Amino acid sequence: MSSNKKIKVLDINIFSRIMSYAMAYKALFIFTAIFSVCLAAVSAYRPYLIINGIDRFVYTKTEEGFLNFVMLILIALIAEVLLQLCFIYLANLLGQSVIKDIRTKLFKHILKFNMAYFNNSSVGRMVTRVVSDVETIAQFFSQGLFMIVNDILKMFIIAVVMLVINWKLALIAFVVLPVLIYATKVFQKAIKTAFQEVRVQVANLNGFVQERVTGMKIVQLFNRENIEYQKFQDINKKHRTAHIKTVWYFSIFYPIAEVLSSIAVGLIVWFGGRELAENNNVTPGEIIGFIMMTEMLFRPLRQIADKFTTLQMGMVAGDRVFEIMDTKSHIDAQGTFKPKNIKGNIDFKDVVFSYLKDEKILKGISFNVKQGETIAIVGATGAGKSTIINLINRFYDIDSGTILVDGTPIKDYDLNFLRNEIAIVLQDVFLFSDSIKNNISLQKEDITIEEIKNAAQQIGIEEFVESLPGGFEYNVKERGVMLSSGQRQLIAFLRAYVSNPSILILDEATSSIDSHSEQMIQFAIDKITEGRTSIVIAHRLATVKNADRIIVLDQGNIVEEGTHQELLNTNDGFYKNLYDKQFANQQIAS
């Protein structure tokens, strides 16, 4: 995911795309705009009242009608406060409504990515996109767009009022405007570049922290605390430097803006005071009112630079979010075939597959699994065993060849239907921070607690689960850290069993368990594989021995195939050598 893409000062395409989400809330958008206009008008009306009040009552020392004047100012202040309240609330409501839709669409899009995308993407960076960047888009509306529109309207109305009241004083106040506008433009360009670097460093920091927290056990086991600490310091320093750069630009711009504003006020006092003393072409109320209006004219201009930065921040964030939305990394899921049931016949025909171009993992393999048959796939690490499992589930699309289930290419199946018919138990079990019950059912409404308990009883693990505090309601915490690796394997096996799959896949499912758990798993394997098509990535000897057929892989090719005994009888065979090296000392379960 690119992070250094250059974005225009105002990228119309990104701006329009963000605004398209706001159009789903037209009424809210219109009301926000109306309140923005009314707020600008009322804000400009207040100094006009003060000018009249000073000239009519204070300067002339007239008491009659003064109370009404005070009440009118009070009403104007209350109206301004109420309008400000409604404007800010509606702008933020619109922003949060928009990002709710964007975040929902983004997450739904991410859920459909193939595994290759996740293999090549940093989790921390993706979290930054989904959380931080999307939240920044909300500020595009709440603190950016509408605030800028409100400020521009306020400045325009105040400028018109100033020209109507006294065009000479107005021109004096406008003298420094070109300088301030130029400074604002320079600042805006510089701060946008600095912000892009901040977002890059935030993503880097999030990615680093997420990976180290997840892998803290490895960090401590291999005594890498100091090394990782030094790496974190370097990343954190870059993060700080990027932020300091933005602070530096702000620290230059705001004093310049304040000085220019003060110069404008000084010119008004000088020119207005001289006119008042010499020929009364200026009133005291006008001088005081113009000082107020000059501040009201210059303050939004100073703030617009900041708000325009927020607007650009929203567009930069939007660009990063839309980059993910526009990523085409989905499995082609146009298949619609949904048979009443899947028998479980699987055929691989000349299947070629590579994760990276020109680095083939499977080199034209062909084999079949008949309905109800249990086959084991063995081979050295990297031979392509787990790749076969990934392809059956369509986590990846093959380079060439055909994979068929019950005689139909898997591409023709509805993807969700196909995966619902396949259950997998992996070596590295992932459990959510939730109850055992929800980790087993994955919160599918059609799986009841009674079915879960009955399944647990059938495969002999109900006693283990009930021994935990709360039984099936026991929260296993993040990634199941409250359970041992063997217990997590048992939960994963129960999860697969409850789903009642047509095809069962065990990917090194018994490699991390003790002998007691292995006995329970072996009992469950015998039960669940009965009459069901099963593919076992073999590790434990008992599983290999009991398979109907064993397929031996080596460097992406099928080198041997047969039963356990047939392969052992092959002199100098690949499987026999593997057996002698890895399994000869293990006690074969009878």
Side-chain angles (χ1 to χ4, degrees):
M1 292 180 288
S2 174
S3 301
N4 298 311
K5 180 180 177 181
K6 295 296 182 183
I7 299 176
K8 301 174 185 176
V9 172
L10 181 61
D11 194 308
I12 299 301
N13 292 329
I14 299 175
F15 181 85
S16 301
R17 194 165 177 181
I18 294 176
M19 291 300 296
S20 67
Y21 287 91
M23 291 302 99
Y25 305 92
K26 287 184 179 179
L28 185 57
F29 186 90
I30 292 172
F31 275 111
T32 306
I34 291 173
F35 277 109
S36 177
V37 174
C38 293
L39 178 60
V42 172
S43 297
Y45 182 61
R46 185 161 48 87
Y48 176 77
L49 281 177
I50 291 176
I51 291 173
N52 287 326
I54 291 174
D55 290 340
R56 288 177 56 191
F57 302 107
V58 178
Y59 187 65
T60 61
K61 299 180 181 180
T62 302
E63 294 187 11
E64 185 179 354
F66 183 69
L67 181 60
N68 292 335
F69 162 72
V70 173
M71 293 300 297
L72 189 59
I73 289 184
L74 182 61
I75 291 172
L77 284 171
I78 294 174
E80 187 175 354
V81 169
L82 292 176
L83 287 170
Q84 184 86 8
L85 186 152
C86 294
F87 169 67
I88 292 175
Y89 176 79
L90 291 178
N92 279 275
L93 178 61
L94 178 62
Q96 291 299 320
S97 299
V98 167
I99 67 166
K100 174 184 70 69
D101 294 344
I102 292 178
R103 188 178 283 125
T104 299
K105 184 176 181 179
L106 177 62
F107 189 71
K108 184 178 180 180
H109 188 71
I110 290 174
L111 287 174
K112 295 179 181 179
F113 281 155
N114 59 27
M115 290 298 106
Y117 181 86
F118 296 106
N119 292 341
N120 297 314
S121 301
S122 164
V123 174
R125 286 186 174 88
M126 292 187 68
V127 170
T128 300
R129 301 292 190 275
V130 177
V131 181
S132 300
D133 286 340
V134 173
E135 193 63 41
T136 302
I137 295 176
Q139 297 175 3
F140 172 93
F141 293 98
S142 61
Q143 300 177 31
L145 178 64
F146 286 114
M147 289 294 183
I148 290 174
V149 171
N150 178 258
D151 285 342
I152 291 175
L153 282 172
K154 189 183 297 183
M155 291 169 60
F156 175 77
I157 294 173
I158 287 174
V160 171
V161 171
M162 292 172 74
L163 288 169
V164 170
I165 293 175
N166 191 313
W167 66 271
K168 291 183 179 180
L169 279 180
L171 292 179
I172 290 294
F174 297 162
V175 165
V176 298
L177 272 179
V179 179
L180 184 56
I181 290 173
Y182 176 76
T184 301
K185 186 176 180 180
V186 172
F187 167 76
Q188 174 266 322
K189 288 183 178 180
I191 200 68
K192 175 190 167 289
T193 302
F195 171 74
Q196 286 181 304
E197 179 62 22
V198 168
R199 299 309 302 165
V200 170
Q201 296 305 326
V202 166
N204 290 340
L205 190 63
N206 285 347
F208 183 88
V209 172
Q210 189 275 334
E211 287 181 354
R212 270 56 186 184
V213 170
T214 302
M216 187 57 68
K217 189 174 183 179
I218 299 299
V219 171
Q220 294 183 356
L221 278 173
F222 288 89
N223 196 27
R224 289 184 57 86
E225 291 93 338
N226 290 334
I227 296 174
E228 299 301 336
Y229 175 70
Q230 292 299 326
K231 287 183 178 180
F232 178 81
Q233 278 194 318
D234 292 340
I235 294 175
N236 200 27
K237 184 178 180 180
K238 292 178 181 178
H239 181 265
R240 172 184 174 274
T241 301
H243 271 288
I244 291 298
K245 203 170 189 180
T246 65
V247 174
W248 170 248
Y249 289 137
F250 277 109
S251 65
I252 293 175
F253 174 74
Y254 281 129
I256 292 175
E258 287 293 335
V259 168
L260 292 174
S261 177
S262 299
I263 291 173
V265 170
L267 290 173
I268 288 173
V269 173
W270 168 74
F271 181 80
R274 194 186 69 173
E275 289 292 302
L276 177 63
E278 292 180 357
N279 48 34
N280 286 328
N281 287 336
V282 175
T283 68
E286 288 176 351
I287 295 175
I288 295 173
F290 266 70
I291 292 174
M292 288 183 59
M293 286 189 288
T294 299
E295 286 295 324
M296 294 177 68
L297 182 67
F298 279 70
R299 188 185 307 117
L301 191 57
R302 293 196 304 268
Q303 294 174 349
I304 278 179
D306 193 15
K307 292 168 184 174
F308 203 90
T309 300
T310 301
L311 185 71
Q312 285 190 310
M313 287 161 55
M315 290 202 298
V316 171
D319 180 67
R320 289 153 64 93
V321 169
F322 295 145
E323 183 181 357
I324 295 182
M325 285 188 176
D326 295 338
T327 299
K328 305 299 181 183
S329 187
H330 294 169
I331 290 293
D332 180 11
Q334 297 182 2
T336 58
F337 185 51
K338 293 182 180 181
K340 290 184 179 180
N341 58 72
I342 287 181
K343 296 178 181 178
N345 295 301
I346 301 173
D347 289 286
F348 273 57
K349 295 185 177 180
D350 299 319
V351 173
V352 176
F353 174 77
S354 55
Y355 293 105
L356 300 175
K357 189 176 180 181
D358 299 328
E359 294 185 17
K360 294 179 181 179
I361 302 300
L362 299 182
K363 304 173 182 177
I365 67 170
S366 299
F367 67 91
N368 66 81
V369 187
K370 297 177 181 178
Q371 177 184 356
E373 189 177 22
T374 297
I375 69 164
I377 302 177
V378 301
T381 300
K385 304 185 298 296
S386 295
T387 298
I388 291 175
I389 306 306
N390 290 333
L391 297 181
I392 294 174
N393 283 275
R394 289 204 67 201
F395 290 147
Y396 305 88
D397 279 328
I398 59 179
D399 298 342
S400 62
T402 308
I403 302 176
L404 304 99
V405 173
D406 291 347
T408 302
I410 59 174
K411 277 193 172 184
D412 295 340
Y413 279 89
D414 176 88
L415 187 58
N416 291 331
F417 174 83
L418 177 68
R419 289 178 178 172
N420 279 335
E421 294 296 320
I422 302 172
I424 305 181
V425 180
L426 300 171
Q427 177 182 3
D428 183 18
V429 178
F430 185 93
L431 298 180
F432 296 96
S433 179
D434 206 335
S435 66
I436 290 179
K437 179 188 71 175
N438 289 337
N439 268 290
I440 293 170
S441 68
L442 296 178
Q443 299 189 357
K444 292 181 180 179
E445 295 181 356
D446 57 337
I447 299 179
T448 66
I449 184 62
E450 288 75 20
E451 290 176 318
I452 293 174
K453 289 183 177 180
N454 182 53
Q457 187 176 32
Q458 290 182 41
I459 65 174
I461 70 169
E462 183 183 29
E463 183 179 348
F464 141 65
V465 177
E466 292 293 359
S467 67
L468 299 171
F472 285 91
E473 297 297 331
Y474 180 68
N475 192 312
V476 300
K477 303 300 180 183
E478 187 175 357
R479 299 183 66 89
V481 296
M482 301 304 291
L483 300 177
S484 68
S485 58
Q487 290 172 329
R488 290 196 295 270
Q489 288 279 3
L490 292 171
I491 297 300
F493 201 91
L494 181 57
R495 177 162 62 192
Y497 185 39
V498 165
S499 67
N500 192 27
S502 299
I503 298 172
L504 175 67
I505 298 172
L506 306 179
D507 188 359
E508 303 281 12
T510 61
S511 62
S512 301
I513 57 177
D514 55 34
S515 58
H516 176 67
S517 297
E518 181 184 2
Q519 292 176 3
M520 289 192 289
I521 288 292
Q522 191 58 54
F523 173 78
I525 288 175
D526 293 340
K527 187 172 184 61
I528 196 173
T529 57
E530 185 178 350
R532 178 181 283 111
T533 302
S534 304
I535 299 176
V536 180
I537 303 297
H539 183 81
R540 299 280 182 164
L541 179 58
T543 307
V544 177
K545 174 176 176 285
N546 294 333
D548 296 316
R549 274 186 303 128
I550 299 171
I551 294 175
V552 185
L553 283 179
D554 182 41
Q555 298 182 2
N557 294 299
I558 296 177
V559 293
E560 290 179 344
E561 186 173 350
T563 65
H564 172 70
Q565 197 58 49
E566 288 172 348
L567 293 176
L568 283 183
N569 292 334
T570 303
N571 292 327
D572 200 29
F574 191 97
Y575 179 79
K576 179 172 172 45
N577 291 332
L578 187 69
Y579 172 81
D580 291 339
K581 291 178 181 178
Q582 297 184 19
F583 301 140
N585 296 325
Q586 295 185 22
Q587 183 177 1
I588 302 176
S590 57

